[in-house]
Amino acid sequence: MSRRRIVLSVVATIAVVGAGILAWIAFGPGAMDFAGGHRVSLAEYRGPDVTGVPADFASADPVARGKYLTLAADCQACHTAKGGVPFAGGLPFKLPFGTIWSPNITPDKATGIGGWTDAQFLAALREGKGPKAHLYPAMPYSAYTWMTDADALAIRAYLATLAPVKRQRPKLTFSFPFNQRWLMSIWGGLFNPNRRFEPNTDRSPEWNRGAYLTEALAHCGECHTPRNLMQALDNRRKYAGAVAAGWRAFNITADKATGVGEWSETELVQYLSQGHAPGRGTATGPMGEAVDLSLRHLTPSDIAAMVTYLRSVPAVSTPDQPHPASSPAPGGHRLAAADEAAPLGKKIFEGACIGCHAWNGNGALTGLATLNGSRAVNDPEATNVAQVVILGARRHTAQGDMVMPAFGHAYSDAEIAAVANYVTARFGSKPSRVTPKQVATLRKAT
């Protein structure tokens, strides 16, 4: 290594450590510290086992139990490229300083994890330490760190039953110092607690089960919690919502105006298990994917436990996201405020959208197309509205798949901005002002 390179590495290390310490002091590391109470190790806990699989799977074979936990951990979503073989990796994560691709976790020995030992698998999953290099925290090891040995190895046992796929991911193209993977060991020391789940004896078994599912397996905070300057979760604003990969994950705290405090138990259960709750909207983008590939496969008792836990998360207000307007828009096409805000958007909506969504926003063909009450159409930045227009959406239902086609190839950035602004002006509480440049940025983010 050249002298200049050594000096730069030292400077980078000092900068990372300094910024990390400041971020740690400012935002704190604990994911579940908000709950207070007395925590004990699993070995000391005298209540029902809140880890592993639910009672419905207690008599299932090890592979079935491992598959359930793999679904709960939502592994397929990140480790599958669009149109690719599940778990073979290759999904790009576009970051401000470059792109990384998810690794192959099929049992191929050359390009997957078939040659890993159990110890190496546990280190990668929970500490971000791969056999050859440290992992970037795009892998949510600071959430998986709470997972028990038994559950982590059950996931590994299931992955070992998959057909091996030989697929090498592209080489890292980050510039210096972001290509220095060893710096991730410092990040992990600051922000990864590297602890197993500890039940809270002052809370019910259902709450503890929900905490384990929500924090350790489903890693909901990775999308719904804002991040600090070191890209670690800011748990002082736990679940207050954030924008990641070009999509907005909304506030899911108990705040009544901007969170889910007004939602009923039934609505929360429906949204998590089906990706839709009447009057609350339909899951799209990464949340829709999480429902399809993970949450809809969980048992009713596990979904109920997650709801119990989410209900306990302290309310955090996000005033930039107004309280959703829930009343239907007028049944006729005239609405002065919306017409004036985005006349081009109205023309596009009338030509391409009205058949499914209707002028009043209640959905002409299915309740899944209801726009009223949706957080997306009440977002002043219309992030998810624009993305759904660009990429389309799909929901799995008992009646079959319901699909909204993608229009990204058919409309320009200016046209997509116009229709997004019209939708928020007509059905939301505050018109958005999306620009063609912002749409172009959203296209590149996904």
Side-chain angles (χ1 to χ4, degrees):
M1 183 182 288
S2 68
R3 183 176 179 180
R4 180 173 179 273
R5 194 86 166 172
I6 293 173
V7 171
L8 288 173
S9 294
V10 171
V11 171
T13 303
I14 294 172
V16 168
V17 171
I21 290 173
L22 289 174
W24 191 92
I25 292 171
F27 299 109
M32 290 176 279
D33 292 342
F34 73 89
H38 180 57
R39 293 189 174 277
V40 297
S41 69
L42 284 166
E44 297 175 287
Y45 185 58
R46 296 295 174 259
D49 187 3
V50 296
T51 65
V53 295
D56 314 54
F57 281 79
S59 60
D61 63 77
V63 172
R65 295 198 296 272
K67 180 178 181 180
Y68 184 87
L69 293 168
T70 302
L71 288 167
D74 201 15
C75 304
Q76 183 176 336
C78 289
H79 290 279
T80 307
K82 292 180 180 179
V85 178
F87 303 103
L91 184 71
F93 289 82
K94 299 177 181 178
L95 305 174
F97 37 82
T99 300
I100 58 175
W101 288 265
S102 62
N104 180 351
I105 56 171
T106 72
D108 180 67
K109 291 187 176 181
T111 64
I113 61 173
W116 291 19
T117 65
D118 285 351
Q120 288 172 327
F121 182 82
L122 290 173
L125 184 75
R126 301 188 306 200
E127 300 176 55
K129 297 178 180 179
K132 296 181 179 179
H134 287 277
L135 306 180
Y136 289 97
M139 166 69 174
Y141 46 83
S142 60
Y144 289 155
T145 192
W146 302 107
M147 204 182 302
T148 64
D149 285 4
D151 287 354
L153 293 177
I155 289 174
R156 171 169 168 74
Y158 168 70
L159 294 175
T161 68
L162 302 175
V165 178
K166 188 174 293 295
R167 190 185 196 285
Q168 189 71 51
R169 59 176 168 172
K171 290 185 177 180
L172 188 69
T173 58
F174 287 0
S175 59
F176 185 84
F178 302 108
N179 61 352
Q180 301 298 297
R181 285 181 177 269
W182 60 270
L183 291 173
M184 295 303 99
S185 64
I186 300 174
W187 188 96
L190 290 166
F191 300 112
N192 182 10
N194 192 19
R195 287 160 46 197
R196 309 297 82 82
F197 180 73
E198 298 171 341
N200 187 332
T201 58
D202 292 342
R203 297 282 184 164
S204 68
E206 185 179 46
W207 184 93
N208 278 292
R209 175 64 177 173
Y212 185 69
L213 288 165
T214 304
E215 299 291 348
L217 290 167
H219 54 277
C220 302
E222 293 294 313
C223 288
H224 288 279
T225 298
R227 294 182 181 272
N228 62 31
L229 54 86
M230 292 297 293
Q231 292 303 297
L233 300 184
D234 173 7
N235 283 309
R236 293 188 183 178
R237 292 187 55 79
K238 184 178 182 64
Y239 291 165
V243 175
W247 290 85
R248 181 176 295 280
F250 291 98
N251 185 336
I252 54 173
T253 73
D255 186 65
K256 290 186 176 181
T258 61
V260 295
E262 286 186 342
W263 291 39
S264 69
E265 302 291 315
T266 299
E267 288 170 336
L268 282 168
V269 167
Q270 285 182 316
Y271 198 86
L272 288 177
S273 59
Q274 301 171 28
H276 173 76
R280 301 297 185 183
T282 300
T284 55
M287 185 63 199
E289 194 173 58
V291 172
D292 289 346
L293 298 178
S294 176
L295 297 173
R296 73 186 181 99
H297 299 283
L298 302 190
T299 62
S301 65
D302 273 355
I303 292 293
M306 292 180 71
V307 170
T308 296
Y309 177 73
L310 287 173
R311 286 291 201 201
S312 73
V313 177
V316 178
S317 176
T318 47
D320 60 317
Q321 295 292 309
H323 187 278
S326 56
S327 300
H333 70 92
R334 294 185 182 280
L335 186 60
D339 297 350
E340 294 171 5
L344 174 59
K346 178 180 180 179
K347 181 179 178 180
I348 296 170
F349 186 85
E350 185 172 15
C353 312
I354 197 67
C356 289
H357 296 291
W359 284 114
N360 64 8
N362 279 341
L365 302 176
T366 171
L368 296 176
T370 301
L371 298 174
N372 301 303
S374 165
R375 305 304 292 268
V377 303
N378 287 276
D379 176 8
E381 296 180 11
T383 301
N384 293 6
V385 173
Q387 288 288 36
V388 169
V389 175
I390 294 168
L391 299 171
R394 180 185 296 270
R395 287 263 44 80
H396 296 292
T397 72
Q399 293 73 40
D401 285 3
M402 301 290 178
V403 179
M404 173 177 161
F407 291 97
H409 64 286
Y411 291 112
S412 67
D413 293 342
E415 290 170 324
I416 290 172
V419 74
N421 290 332
Y422 179 74
V423 166
T424 59
R426 185 175 184 89
F427 304 106
S429 59
K430 183 179 180 180
S432 60
R433 295 289 184 269
V434 182
T435 67
K437 184 177 179 180
Q438 289 171 322
V439 173
T441 300
L442 288 175
R443 287 187 194 265
K444 294 176 182 177
T446 54

